[in-house]
Amino acid sequence: MSAGWGRSPLSGNAFVGCLAYALGERRIDLATSAANGRLRSEPRDLAEAGFAVHHVCNPTTSAYDLARAATARIAAAGGLRDVDAIIYATALPTNGTVGDLDTARRTRDIAHLMDFPGSRLQVDFDLDGAVVVGLNQQACTGLLGSLHLARALLAIESDWRRVLCVTADRLPDGAMYEQAYNLISDGAAACVVSRQPAAFRIIAGHQITNGGLGLAGADEIVGAFFTYTHRVVVEALEKAGLTAGDLDWVVAQNANPAAWEVFARLLGVPESRVWLPSVARAGHVVSADTIINLQALVDSGRLRPGHRLALVAAGHGLNWQCAILQATEAVS
Amino acid sequence: MTGATMVTGADGYLGRRVVSTLLARTDDPLVLAVRAADDTELATKREWAATAFDAAPGRIRVVAADLRQPKPFVDVDPATVRRIVHTAAITRFNVDRDSARQVNLEGTAAVCDFAATCVNLDRYLVLSTLYVSGRHEGPVAEHRLDDRGFVNHYEWSKWAAEERVFGEYAHLPVSVLRLPTVIADDDSGRVTQYNAFHHTLRLFFYGLLGLVPGNPATPLSVTTAAFVSDAVAHLLDDRAPRGVFHVCADPDDTPALGAVIDAAFAVFESDDWFRRRRILRPIYCDEPAFDRLTSAARSMRQAVLSDVLGTVAPFGGQLYRPKTFQTDALRSAWPGCAAPKSIPLVTSTVSHLVRTRWGKTQQEAP
Ligand SMILES: NC(=O)c1ccc[n+]([C@@H]2O[C@H](COP(=O)([O-])OP(=O)(O)OC[C@H]3O[C@@H](n4cnc5c(N)ncnc54)[C@H](OP(=O)(O)O)[C@@H]3O)[C@@H](O)[C@H]2O)c1
C-alpha cells in the first residue's frame, strides 16, 4: 500500500532545480465558468474556499503544448543540458498520448494511439540521448512521483546526470473543471532532478496508494484527506529522520486552503508555514501545483538555505505523495 | 379519566416508550399530549396511537397540546391528572435560540403552570439532559447547576428550563431526570432514532470524515431508551424520593471517547466492504481545528460533510470538556438500577448500524 525512498547512501546525491510551468491561455473567473457549466458548486462557495480564477486552454491547445511551453522555459535558461531521461507524468490517461483516437478507430490501427508526448518532447528539444518514461496512474501526485522515480533512476544508472520531469494536463472539451470541491486549471510544470547540486536537495519521499478507494467520489476524497495526507507526511518525515517540528514549509497543492489550515494544526506546524499562495490566481493545476507554489516560495525571498520543505499532494487512485526537500545555497 | 398520567411529547422517541412502559407496569389511564397543527394532524396522531398501543383501548386519550401556545392544555381537566412526565422538546442540537426558548424553556413553564393547577398531582417528572452542565468540566452533581456557558442553544434552553422548575415551581412535586445520549432502543443495539452519535459514526464508516472532535480521554455517557423508560417508571412512583437524577452509568463505568471510537472501529473493521476500502481511524483534532473545518465545510455546501457537520458540530464542543456525572441520588432512589454496560452497548449498536447500513436496509449489508 505504501512505498518510499528512505535515507539511502545516495540520499545526498539528488537535487531538484530548473522549475518552470505554463498555464492554459484563458483566464476565466468563477461566474463565467459557472455560466458555462464547468462547475458543480456555486461560484460563491468556491470563492469562499479561496478560488477566484482558473486557466483553460484554447480549443486548439493540447496538454502537450503546455508541456512544451514549460520545457521551453527550462531550455531558455539552459537547463536541458545532459538530460538522460524524461519522465512525463499525466493525471488524465488521455493526456498520455497525442495520438488520434478517431484515426485509430477509422483505420483500426492501434499505432495511432501510441504517439507519445514524451517522445515528442525528446525530439522537439533535441534531447537525443534521453530515454522516456511515462507515469500516468498517480493523478495529481504525478509530479511528486516523478521526483521519486528520477532520484531512483539516478541511483541505479550511475552514468546518468539529469532527469527532466514534466507533468501536463488539459481537461477534455466539455469536462467539468471542478474535482472534489476544487477549481481545476489546465497547466503543466517541469523541473530537473540532477546528480549535481541545484536549488533543493531531495531528502526523502513517500507515496501511499489506496486502491480500495480507487473509485472514491468527491466526498470520500475529502473524507480521506486528513488521515492519509497526515500519514504520508508523517511517514515521509520518519524516513527523513525528521519530525514535523523540523519543517520550515509545507508546500501544498492548490486545494481548499481552509483544509490545509486544519491540516497544519493536525501536523503541528504553524498555519503561516503552509504555503499555497497561487490558489486564487492559478486554481488547482492538477499535478503542477507544488512546482508553481515552490517557485512562488523561491520568488518570495522568504526561503533560506537549509530550510526544510514538505511538498504534499493527494490525487485520484487514491494516491498521496510527499517529498521532503532541503533548500541549498543555490536558492539565494 | 381520573388519576391519569399525562405524557407530553407522547409520540416522540422516548415519549412512546414511556407510554408503553406505563401501560405495561401500571393500571393508570394515560393522557398523551402531542403537538398537532390542526385537526387532521391530531386525527393522524390518534390513529397512530390506536395502532401503537392497541392493547390498551380505553386507557389512553390523545390530546393536542402545542407548547408554543400560552395555555396548551385546555383540553385536559387538571383535576384528573395525578402524574406528569414532560418529555416534549425540540431535541436538535442545531436548534436556533428562539425556537429553543419558545418550546424548551417557555414550553416547560407552560407545563409547570398547568401542573400547578393539578390539585391531585403526586409526581411531575421533567426529562432533561446531562449537558445542562454546559461548559462545566469535572464532576457534576445531581443538583441545581450554575450557568457555565453552553456549546449550543439546546443545552442552554434545557438548563434555563431547569432553572424555572427549581425557582418559580419548586413547590411542585417535581423530579428532574438528566439523560445521557440515547444510542439504542435497548441492549440489543437496535436503533430507531438517529442522532449526532449515529450520524458521526456514519461519516466515519463511509470515509467522509477523517477527524474526531474532542479529546480521546473525555468520558462519553450513553444509554438505551429502555433504561430511560425504566427509570421514569421507578421515579414516577409515589414512594420514590424527589430530586435531580442522572439517569446514566456510574462514572467508573463511563467509557472515554477514545474507547468508544475504538469499539466502533473494531466493529467497522469486521465488515468486508469497510475493510477493503482501507479507511483509516480518524485523527483527534483540537477545538480550533474542528471549528475551522466546520466553517470550511460550509463552503462545500453540496458535500455530505457539510450537511452532517451541521448537526454534529453543535455537540462537538462537549467532547473537549471532560466531565463525569455523579449518580448517588439515582442509586439511592433506585437501588436495583442497572445501567447498560457502555462498551458492549456501543458494540451492539454499531453492529446494528453496520448491518442495516444506518437503517437503509433491514437485510445484511450489501
Ligand atoms: N433522546 C436522547 O438522546 C435524549 C438525551 C437527553 C435528553 N433527552 C430529553 O428527553 C426528552 C425526549 O427526547 P426524545 O429523544 O424523545 O425527543 P424527540 O423524539 O425529538 O421527541 C420530542 C417530542 O416533543 C414534541 N414537540 C416538539 N415541539 C413541540 C411543541 N411545540 N409542542 C408540543 N410538543 C412538541 C415532538 O412532537 P413533534 O415531533 O410532532 O414535533 C415530539 O413528540 C427531551 O426533553 C429531550 O431533551 C433526550
Short mmCIF file of all heavy atoms in Angstrom, two decimals, chain B residues 224-271:
data_model
loop_
_atom_site.label_atom_id
_atom_site.label_comp_id
_atom_site.label_asym_id
_atom_site.label_seq_id
_atom_site.Cartn_x
_atom_site.Cartn_y
_atom_site.Cartn_z
N THR B 224 -29.68 3.49 26.82
CA THR B 224 -30.76 2.99 25.96
C THR B 224 -32.08 3.64 26.36
O THR B 224 -32.26 4.08 27.51
CB THR B 224 -30.93 1.47 26.11
OG1 THR B 224 -31.32 1.19 27.46
CG2 THR B 224 -29.65 0.73 25.78
N ALA B 225 -33.01 3.63 25.42
CA ALA B 225 -34.35 4.14 25.71
C ALA B 225 -35.02 3.25 26.75
O ALA B 225 -35.80 3.73 27.58
CB ALA B 225 -35.17 4.18 24.42
N ALA B 226 -34.71 1.96 26.72
CA ALA B 226 -35.32 1.03 27.68
C ALA B 226 -34.92 1.41 29.10
O ALA B 226 -35.76 1.41 30.01
CB ALA B 226 -34.89 -0.40 27.36
N PHE B 227 -33.65 1.75 29.29
CA PHE B 227 -33.18 2.14 30.63
C PHE B 227 -33.86 3.43 31.08
O PHE B 227 -34.28 3.56 32.23
CB PHE B 227 -31.66 2.30 30.62
CG PHE B 227 -31.10 2.68 31.96
CD1 PHE B 227 -31.20 1.83 33.05
CD2 PHE B 227 -30.47 3.91 32.14
CE1 PHE B 227 -30.68 2.19 34.31
CE2 PHE B 227 -29.95 4.28 33.38
CZ PHE B 227 -30.06 3.41 34.46
N VAL B 228 -34.00 4.37 30.13
CA VAL B 228 -34.64 5.64 30.49
C VAL B 228 -36.09 5.41 30.89
O VAL B 228 -36.56 5.90 31.93
CB VAL B 228 -34.56 6.65 29.31
CG1 VAL B 228 -35.43 7.87 29.58
CG2 VAL B 228 -33.12 7.07 29.06
N SER B 229 -36.82 4.62 30.11
CA SER B 229 -38.24 4.45 30.48
C SER B 229 -38.39 3.65 31.76
O SER B 229 -39.32 3.87 32.54
CB SER B 229 -39.08 3.87 29.34
OG SER B 229 -38.35 3.03 28.54
N ASP B 230 -37.45 2.74 32.00
CA ASP B 230 -37.44 2.02 33.27
C ASP B 230 -37.25 3.01 34.43
O ASP B 230 -37.96 2.96 35.45
CB ASP B 230 -36.25 1.04 33.22
CG ASP B 230 -36.49 -0.19 34.06
OD1 ASP B 230 -37.60 -0.32 34.59
OD2 ASP B 230 -35.55 -1.01 34.17
N ALA B 231 -36.31 3.93 34.23
CA ALA B 231 -36.04 4.95 35.27
C ALA B 231 -37.27 5.82 35.49
O ALA B 231 -37.63 6.13 36.63
CB ALA B 231 -34.85 5.81 34.85
N VAL B 232 -37.92 6.20 34.39
CA VAL B 232 -39.12 7.03 34.52
C VAL B 232 -40.16 6.29 35.35
O VAL B 232 -40.75 6.84 36.29
CB VAL B 232 -39.68 7.40 33.12
CG1 VAL B 232 -41.08 7.98 33.23
CG2 VAL B 232 -38.75 8.38 32.42
N ALA B 233 -40.38 5.01 35.03
CA ALA B 233 -41.39 4.24 35.76
C ALA B 233 -41.05 4.17 37.26
O ALA B 233 -41.94 4.32 38.10
CB ALA B 233 -41.50 2.84 35.16
N HIS B 234 -39.78 3.99 37.59
CA HIS B 234 -39.38 3.92 39.00
C HIS B 234 -39.55 5.26 39.71
O HIS B 234 -40.07 5.33 40.81
CB HIS B 234 -37.92 3.47 39.13
CG HIS B 234 -37.79 1.99 39.15
ND1 HIS B 234 -37.65 1.25 37.99
CD2 HIS B 234 -37.82 1.10 40.16
CE1 HIS B 234 -37.59 -0.03 38.30
NE2 HIS B 234 -37.68 -0.15 39.62
N LEU B 235 -39.08 6.31 39.07
CA LEU B 235 -39.05 7.61 39.74
C LEU B 235 -40.41 8.29 39.74
O LEU B 235 -40.62 9.28 40.45
CB LEU B 235 -37.97 8.49 39.10
CG LEU B 235 -36.56 7.90 39.25
CD1 LEU B 235 -35.56 8.65 38.36
CD2 LEU B 235 -36.08 7.94 40.71
N LEU B 236 -41.34 7.74 38.97
CA LEU B 236 -42.70 8.27 38.94
C LEU B 236 -43.51 7.71 40.11
O LEU B 236 -44.55 8.27 40.47
CB LEU B 236 -43.34 7.87 37.59
CG LEU B 236 -44.59 8.60 37.12
CD1 LEU B 236 -44.36 10.10 37.04
CD2 LEU B 236 -45.03 8.07 35.76
N ASP B 237 -42.99 6.65 40.67
CA ASP B 237 -43.69 6.02 41.79
C ASP B 237 -43.76 6.99 42.97
O ASP B 237 -42.78 7.67 43.30
CB ASP B 237 -42.91 4.76 42.19
CG ASP B 237 -43.72 3.87 43.10
OD1 ASP B 237 -43.92 4.27 44.28
OD2 ASP B 237 -44.17 2.82 42.64
N ASP B 238 -44.93 7.04 43.62
CA ASP B 238 -45.11 7.97 44.75
C ASP B 238 -44.07 7.75 45.84
O ASP B 238 -43.71 8.66 46.58
CB ASP B 238 -46.48 7.77 45.42
CG ASP B 238 -47.60 7.75 44.41
OD1 ASP B 238 -47.34 8.19 43.28
OD2 ASP B 238 -48.71 7.31 44.77
N ARG B 239 -43.60 6.49 45.94
CA ARG B 239 -42.69 6.18 47.05
C ARG B 239 -41.24 6.62 46.76
O ARG B 239 -40.41 6.67 47.65
CB ARG B 239 -42.71 4.69 47.34
CG ARG B 239 -44.00 4.24 48.02
CD ARG B 239 -44.24 2.78 47.82
NE ARG B 239 -44.36 2.46 46.40
CZ ARG B 239 -44.60 1.25 45.92
NH1 ARG B 239 -44.73 0.23 46.71
NH2 ARG B 239 -44.70 1.05 44.62
N ALA B 240 -40.97 6.89 45.49
CA ALA B 240 -39.59 7.30 45.14
C ALA B 240 -39.32 8.71 45.66
O ALA B 240 -40.22 9.55 45.64
CB ALA B 240 -39.41 7.26 43.63
N PRO B 241 -38.10 8.96 46.14
CA PRO B 241 -37.79 10.33 46.56
C PRO B 241 -37.80 11.27 45.35
O PRO B 241 -37.67 10.83 44.22
CB PRO B 241 -36.38 10.21 47.15
CG PRO B 241 -35.82 8.96 46.58
CD PRO B 241 -36.97 8.06 46.25
N ARG B 242 -37.97 12.55 45.64
CA ARG B 242 -37.91 13.54 44.56
C ARG B 242 -36.50 14.13 44.50
O ARG B 242 -35.77 14.05 45.49
CB ARG B 242 -38.93 14.63 44.81
CG ARG B 242 -40.34 14.16 44.53
CD ARG B 242 -41.30 15.31 44.54
NE ARG B 242 -41.83 15.57 45.87
CZ ARG B 242 -41.79 16.76 46.46
NH1 ARG B 242 -41.24 17.79 45.87
NH2 ARG B 242 -42.31 16.93 47.65
N GLY B 243 -36.16 14.70 43.38
CA GLY B 243 -34.84 15.33 43.29
C GLY B 243 -34.36 15.41 41.85
O GLY B 243 -35.14 15.36 40.91
N VAL B 244 -33.03 15.56 41.75
CA VAL B 244 -32.39 15.57 40.43
C VAL B 244 -31.66 14.24 40.29
O VAL B 244 -30.95 13.84 41.22
CB VAL B 244 -31.37 16.73 40.33
CG1 VAL B 244 -30.66 16.70 38.98
CG2 VAL B 244 -32.06 18.06 40.54
N PHE B 245 -31.82 13.58 39.16
CA PHE B 245 -31.22 12.26 38.97
C PHE B 245 -30.46 12.20 37.65
O PHE B 245 -31.01 12.60 36.61
CB PHE B 245 -32.31 11.17 38.98
CG PHE B 245 -33.12 11.17 40.24
CD1 PHE B 245 -34.40 11.75 40.25
CD2 PHE B 245 -32.62 10.63 41.41
CE1 PHE B 245 -35.15 11.77 41.42
CE2 PHE B 245 -33.38 10.64 42.59
CZ PHE B 245 -34.64 11.22 42.58
N HIS B 246 -29.26 11.72 37.70
CA HIS B 246 -28.50 11.47 36.47
C HIS B 246 -28.79 10.03 36.06
O HIS B 246 -28.31 9.08 36.71
CB HIS B 246 -27.01 11.68 36.70
CG HIS B 246 -26.65 13.12 36.88
ND1 HIS B 246 -25.44 13.55 37.39
CD2 HIS B 246 -27.35 14.25 36.61
CE1 HIS B 246 -25.41 14.87 37.42
NE2 HIS B 246 -26.56 15.32 36.95
N VAL B 247 -29.55 9.89 34.99
CA VAL B 247 -30.02 8.56 34.57
C VAL B 247 -28.96 7.96 33.64
O VAL B 247 -29.15 7.89 32.42
CB VAL B 247 -31.40 8.67 33.89
CG1 VAL B 247 -31.91 7.30 33.49
CG2 VAL B 247 -32.38 9.34 34.84
N CYS B 248 -27.85 7.57 34.24
CA CYS B 248 -26.74 7.10 33.40
C CYS B 248 -25.86 6.14 34.20
O CYS B 248 -26.10 5.92 35.39
CB CYS B 248 -25.90 8.29 32.93
SG CYS B 248 -25.20 9.26 34.26
N ALA B 249 -24.86 5.62 33.53
CA ALA B 249 -23.93 4.71 34.20
C ALA B 249 -23.08 5.50 35.20
O ALA B 249 -22.93 6.72 35.07
CB ALA B 249 -23.02 4.06 33.16
N ASP B 250 -22.53 4.79 36.19
CA ASP B 250 -21.64 5.43 37.16
C ASP B 250 -20.40 5.96 36.44
O ASP B 250 -20.01 5.42 35.41
CB ASP B 250 -21.17 4.40 38.19
CG ASP B 250 -22.34 3.91 39.03
OD1 ASP B 250 -23.33 4.66 39.14
OD2 ASP B 250 -22.25 2.78 39.53
N PRO B 251 -19.75 6.96 37.03
CA PRO B 251 -18.53 7.48 36.39
C PRO B 251 -17.52 6.38 36.06
O PRO B 251 -16.92 6.39 34.99
CB PRO B 251 -17.98 8.46 37.42
CG PRO B 251 -19.18 8.92 38.18
CD PRO B 251 -20.13 7.74 38.21
N ASP B 252 -17.39 5.40 36.97
CA ASP B 252 -16.39 4.34 36.72
C ASP B 252 -16.74 3.48 35.51
O ASP B 252 -15.87 2.83 34.94
CB ASP B 252 -16.29 3.42 37.95
CG ASP B 252 -15.62 4.13 39.11
OD1 ASP B 252 -15.08 5.23 38.87
OD2 ASP B 252 -15.67 3.59 40.23
N ASP B 253 -18.02 3.43 35.18
CA ASP B 253 -18.45 2.60 34.05
C ASP B 253 -18.66 3.42 32.79
O ASP B 253 -19.23 2.92 31.81
CB ASP B 253 -19.77 1.89 34.39
CG ASP B 253 -19.55 0.82 35.45
OD1 ASP B 253 -18.42 0.32 35.53
OD2 ASP B 253 -20.50 0.54 36.20
N THR B 254 -18.26 4.67 32.84
CA THR B 254 -18.46 5.52 31.65
C THR B 254 -17.18 5.51 30.82
O THR B 254 -16.11 5.88 31.32
CB THR B 254 -18.79 6.97 32.09
OG1 THR B 254 -19.96 6.91 32.91
CG2 THR B 254 -19.07 7.86 30.89
N PRO B 255 -17.26 5.08 29.57
CA PRO B 255 -16.04 4.96 28.77
C PRO B 255 -15.55 6.32 28.28
O PRO B 255 -16.32 7.29 28.23
CB PRO B 255 -16.48 4.12 27.58
CG PRO B 255 -17.94 4.41 27.44
CD PRO B 255 -18.46 4.70 28.81
N ALA B 256 -14.29 6.36 27.91
CA ALA B 256 -13.74 7.57 27.29
C ALA B 256 -14.11 7.57 25.81
O ALA B 256 -14.34 6.51 25.22
CB ALA B 256 -12.23 7.59 27.45
N LEU B 257 -14.13 8.77 25.24
CA LEU B 257 -14.43 8.91 23.81
C LEU B 257 -13.55 7.97 22.97
O LEU B 257 -14.01 7.31 22.05
CB LEU B 257 -14.20 10.37 23.39
CG LEU B 257 -14.25 10.68 21.90
CD1 LEU B 257 -15.63 10.43 21.33
CD2 LEU B 257 -13.85 12.14 21.65
N GLY B 258 -12.26 7.92 23.33
CA GLY B 258 -11.33 7.08 22.57
C GLY B 258 -11.74 5.62 22.59
O GLY B 258 -11.64 4.92 21.56
N ALA B 259 -12.23 5.16 23.74
CA ALA B 259 -12.64 3.75 23.84
C ALA B 259 -13.90 3.51 23.01
O ALA B 259 -14.07 2.44 22.40
CB ALA B 259 -12.89 3.39 25.30
N VAL B 260 -14.77 4.51 22.95
CA VAL B 260 -16.00 4.38 22.15
C VAL B 260 -15.63 4.31 20.66
O VAL B 260 -16.13 3.46 19.92
CB VAL B 260 -16.96 5.56 22.45
CG1 VAL B 260 -18.13 5.57 21.47
CG2 VAL B 260 -17.45 5.49 23.88
N ILE B 261 -14.73 5.19 20.25
CA ILE B 261 -14.31 5.19 18.83
C ILE B 261 -13.63 3.85 18.50
O ILE B 261 -13.88 3.25 17.45
CB ILE B 261 -13.35 6.36 18.55
CG1 ILE B 261 -14.05 7.70 18.78
CG2 ILE B 261 -12.74 6.28 17.15
CD1 ILE B 261 -15.04 8.10 17.73
N ASP B 262 -12.77 3.40 19.41
CA ASP B 262 -12.08 2.12 19.15
C ASP B 262 -13.08 0.98 19.04
O ASP B 262 -12.95 0.12 18.16
CB ASP B 262 -11.07 1.83 20.26
CG ASP B 262 -9.83 2.72 20.15
OD1 ASP B 262 -9.67 3.37 19.10
OD2 ASP B 262 -9.05 2.78 21.12
N ALA B 263 -14.07 0.98 19.93
CA ALA B 263 -15.08 -0.10 19.88
C ALA B 263 -15.85 -0.03 18.56
O ALA B 263 -16.13 -1.06 17.93
CB ALA B 263 -16.04 0.03 21.06
N ALA B 264 -16.16 1.19 18.12
CA ALA B 264 -16.90 1.34 16.86
C ALA B 264 -16.05 0.85 15.69
O ALA B 264 -16.53 0.10 14.82
CB ALA B 264 -17.29 2.80 16.66
N PHE B 265 -14.77 1.24 15.67
CA PHE B 265 -13.91 0.81 14.55
C PHE B 265 -13.65 -0.69 14.58
O PHE B 265 -13.47 -1.29 13.52
CB PHE B 265 -12.62 1.64 14.50
CG PHE B 265 -12.79 2.86 13.65
CD1 PHE B 265 -13.44 3.99 14.14
CD2 PHE B 265 -12.37 2.88 12.32
CE1 PHE B 265 -13.64 5.10 13.35
CE2 PHE B 265 -12.58 3.99 11.51
CZ PHE B 265 -13.21 5.11 12.03
N ALA B 266 -13.64 -1.27 15.77
CA ALA B 266 -13.45 -2.73 15.83
C ALA B 266 -14.62 -3.40 15.10
O ALA B 266 -14.43 -4.38 14.37
CB ALA B 266 -13.37 -3.20 17.28
N VAL B 267 -15.81 -2.84 15.24
CA VAL B 267 -16.97 -3.40 14.52
C VAL B 267 -16.84 -3.08 13.02
O VAL B 267 -17.00 -3.97 12.17
CB VAL B 267 -18.30 -2.83 15.07
CG1 VAL B 267 -19.48 -3.35 14.26
CG2 VAL B 267 -18.46 -3.19 16.54
N PHE B 268 -16.52 -1.84 12.70
CA PHE B 268 -16.37 -1.46 11.27
C PHE B 268 -15.40 -2.42 10.58
O PHE B 268 -15.64 -2.89 9.47
CB PHE B 268 -15.78 -0.05 11.13
CG PHE B 268 -16.69 1.08 11.53
CD1 PHE B 268 -16.22 2.40 11.48
CD2 PHE B 268 -17.99 0.87 11.95
CE1 PHE B 268 -17.02 3.46 11.83
CE2 PHE B 268 -18.81 1.93 12.32
CZ PHE B 268 -18.32 3.23 12.25
N GLU B 269 -14.28 -2.66 11.27
CA GLU B 269 -13.20 -3.41 10.61
C GLU B 269 -13.53 -4.90 10.46
O GLU B 269 -12.80 -5.63 9.79
CB GLU B 269 -11.89 -3.18 11.39
CG GLU B 269 -11.33 -1.77 11.11
CD GLU B 269 -10.41 -1.22 12.19
OE1 GLU B 269 -10.08 -1.97 13.13
OE2 GLU B 269 -10.04 -0.03 12.10
N SER B 270 -14.65 -5.33 11.04
CA SER B 270 -15.07 -6.72 10.80
C SER B 270 -15.98 -6.81 9.58
O SER B 270 -16.43 -7.88 9.20
CB SER B 270 -15.80 -7.26 12.04
OG SER B 270 -17.02 -6.58 12.19
N ASP B 271 -16.23 -5.68 8.94
CA ASP B 271 -17.09 -5.65 7.76
C ASP B 271 -16.20 -5.67 6.50
O ASP B 271 -15.32 -4.83 6.35
CB ASP B 271 -17.93 -4.36 7.80
CG ASP B 271 -18.86 -4.24 6.63
OD1 ASP B 271 -18.44 -3.70 5.57
OD2 ASP B 271 -20.01 -4.70 6.74
#
